[in-house]
Amino acid sequence: MAGLRIGILGSGKGSNCRAILERIRDDSLGAEVGVVIADVENAGILEIAKEFGVPAVYLPPGTFRTKLEPGAEHALVDALRGAGVELVVLAGYMRVLKSPMLDAFPHRIINIHPSLLPKFPGLEAWKQALAAGERVTGCTVHYVDAGIDSGGIIAQREVPILPNDTPPSLHARIQIAERELYPEVIAQFCR
Ligand code: GRF
């Protein structure tokens, strides 16, 4: 069943993208994926898109490390619009978006982050939570704004921190929660 048309952006292995595509295949969710776009040419997320028969596009990001060059960001807007995308879903996308994207898709870009925001924004949030001696962490789906992991919170899922947890064991448990939460939030958007 067709529905809200989403575009997924990623830079890495794409386990959240896979979870979303599987849930759409199995339960529809009221969504369809119009395109998957990566800023890394050999990102696993592009292979996953192809596996599911979804257009997979590599868009060169330009020379900056943490944001897109303006021309690249305009090309991203064009690619998403060209695919008819209504909701942009960031799934491990490692660049900060600026006004071309934020203006083109106001309140229509969401991200998933591996902590209970506003605690532990930024990189390797599970390590930050462990180092801070937290008993509970989790994941957050939030709107994307011009800051880093700072937009309005849409939904959260708690994950306990166990006494023997290491960064990899905690990260793995958070990612299981992410792969449940993100498709649920997308389904909510569709409703
Ligand atoms: C996710 O764990 C998410 O928390 C963060 O980036 C990671 C991407 O993983 N934003 P994957 O590419 O979806 O496997």
Side-chain angles (χ1 to χ4, degrees):
M1 186 185 77
L4 186 78
R5 219 167 148 79
I6 68 177
I8 302 179
L9 305 188
S11 309
K13 68 181 179 353
S15 64
N16 280 282
C17 178
R18 178 183 290 285
I20 293 164
L21 286 164
E22 283 177 352
R23 282 292 306 275
I24 289 175
R25 181 192 62 202
D26 298 343
D27 309 331
S28 159
L29 299 186
E32 60 181 338
V33 179
V35 67
V36 171
I37 300 176
D39 61 336
V40 175
E41 198 164 10
N42 59 357
I45 195 170
L46 293 176
E47 294 310 311
I48 291 172
K50 288 179 204 159
E51 191 185 317
F52 281 79
V54 170
V57 177
Y58 162 63
L59 278 186
T63 55
F64 297 132
R65 206 170 49 83
T66 58
K67 60 180 182 177
L68 293 167
E69 265 180 22
E73 190 152 349
H74 285 291
L76 179 58
V77 170
D78 290 345
L80 290 165
R81 284 194 172 140
V85 166
E86 300 161 290
L87 176 71
V88 180
V89 173
L90 306 192
Y93 190 66
M94 299 305 286
R95 288 175 193 269
V96 179
L97 296 175
K98 301 287 176 185
S99 57
M101 276 294 293
L102 299 175
D103 293 347
F105 295 97
H107 259 76
R108 287 284 182 276
I109 309 176
I110 62 176
N111 181 44
I112 191 156
H113 180 77
S115 77
L116 296 175
L117 291 171
K119 280 188 170 177
F120 314 124
L123 294 176
E124 300 189 320
W126 61 95
K127 284 190 186 167
Q128 299 184 49
L130 261 184
E134 298 283 319
R135 297 283 174 80
V136 175
T137 185
C139 54
T140 302
V141 179
H142 64 93
Y143 288 106
V144 171
D145 64 12
I148 294 184
D149 305 319
S150 57
I153 291 170
I154 299 167
Q156 296 185 307
R157 179 89 17 115
E158 289 190 352
V159 172
I161 298 182
L162 306 178
N164 295 330
D165 259 333
T166 59
S169 69
L170 178 57
H171 188 208
R173 206 166 334 102
I174 293 172
Q175 286 196 309
I176 291 170
E178 289 184 341
R179 297 194 284 259
E180 291 170 7
L181 182 65
Y182 221 0
E184 284 171 22
V185 169
I186 290 167
Q188 258 175 41
F189 261 87
C190 297
R191 288 195 288 269

